[in-house]
Every structure is written in structure tokens, then in C-alpha cells.
Amino acid sequence: MLPHPSPSLLITDDDRSFRESLGEAFADRGFRTLYAADGEEALEIVRAEPIHVALFDMHMPRLTGLETLHRLRTLEIEPFPCILMTAALTDLIAHQAREEQAFAALSKPFGFRVMFDLVLDAMRRRYGWELDERN
């Protein structure tokens, strides 16, 4: 069972159909999903809304996922787990993601269950929340 209020998940990806289909799957499992088309928009949302976990695509207009992660760490907000997603995961990108304190870097394409389990793990580790995984 998800904690109350529902945890918020920010999905940032320039592919609208990808972010919305992923968001719908999380919303069906009790998450409050927020969407951003790029890193700049994501930073605006983070400044205005409490976020529990965020997903960032690596290659986006205006700011890459790594640039967004870097800028997040300069904001005066409570840190939250961030997962970097990319179709071109290399050792360098994985290393840079760790340097920017990303919770994980995940290669696209991935199955929903892989991402869902990763988000649950991030929430367990960061907040100590035990979630019902049968959803």
C-alpha cells in the first residue's frame, strides 16, 4: 500500500507519449505523476511541488538529464532520488550520473516492472517506505 498522501513522481522526457504512458502506469498504482518535457520545465516543477522521486531522460532540449541533476543539487530543496534514463548508456554516462548523485542510470528500453521496482527501491532507501508491490 502506498503511503498517504500519494508519493509524487516527476517524469521528464521530451517524448510525450513515453512520459505519459509511463506516468499512467504509475498513476494506476497510486502515484501522483507530474510531467516535464525538458530539464528547464522539470526545475520549475521542482521549485513549486514536493517531489519524492524523479526520472530524467538523458538527451533532451535545453538541459540534458545530467545538467538537470547538477542544477537540482544547487537548489535549496530536500534531496530526493533521481533516476537517469538513456538509450545510449555508456560507462561515462553512468559515472557522470553517480557523480551527480543519481540513484541509478537505466538503459532504454526497459520494461515497466524494472522501472517500478527501481522506484520502489529508491523510496524504501530514501524514506523507509514499504510499498505494496502487488500493484
Side-chain angles (χ1 to χ4, degrees):
M1 174 169 265
L2 292 174
H4 183 74
S6 297
S8 56
L9 176 70
L10 173 60
I11 302 170
T12 305
D13 196 299
D14 57 333
D15 181 337
R16 181 179 179 176
S17 63
F18 172 81
R19 71 177 179 263
E20 289 181 358
S21 62
L22 186 59
E24 288 171 16
F26 274 100
D28 288 346
R29 287 159 180 83
F31 284 78
R32 184 173 69 93
T33 54
L34 299 109
Y35 305 101
D38 60 49
E40 289 287 348
E41 188 177 342
L43 292 172
E44 291 172 20
I45 291 169
V46 166
R47 288 182 187 104
E49 299 279 341
I51 303 297
H52 292 103
V53 178
L55 313 178
F56 297 108
D57 185 34
M58 174 59 193
H59 300 288
M60 299 181 291
R62 299 203 293 176
L63 289 177
T64 69
L66 284 172
E67 292 167 335
T68 306
L69 283 169
H70 180 76
R71 290 200 186 173
L72 267 179
R73 303 303 172 215
T74 67
L75 299 178
E76 293 183 15
I77 58 170
E78 186 70 27
F80 52 84
C82 298
I83 298 167
L84 185 71
M85 311 173 290
T86 180
L89 185 60
T90 63
D91 290 341
L92 177 61
I93 291 173
H95 175 74
Q96 290 171 322
R98 284 189 300 275
E99 285 183 339
E100 295 299 340
Q101 302 173 5
F103 180 78
L106 187 61
S107 183
K108 288 180 174 181
F110 50 80
F112 174 74
R113 188 68 204 190
V114 170
M115 179 59 83
F116 185 68
D117 288 346
L118 194 56
V119 168
L120 292 183
D121 188 36
M123 292 178 64
R124 269 190 218 99
R125 290 179 190 222
R126 173 64 179 92
Y127 308 106
W129 291 347
E130 290 299 325
L131 306 176
D132 183 353
E133 297 181 36
R134 293 171 294 177
N135 288 325

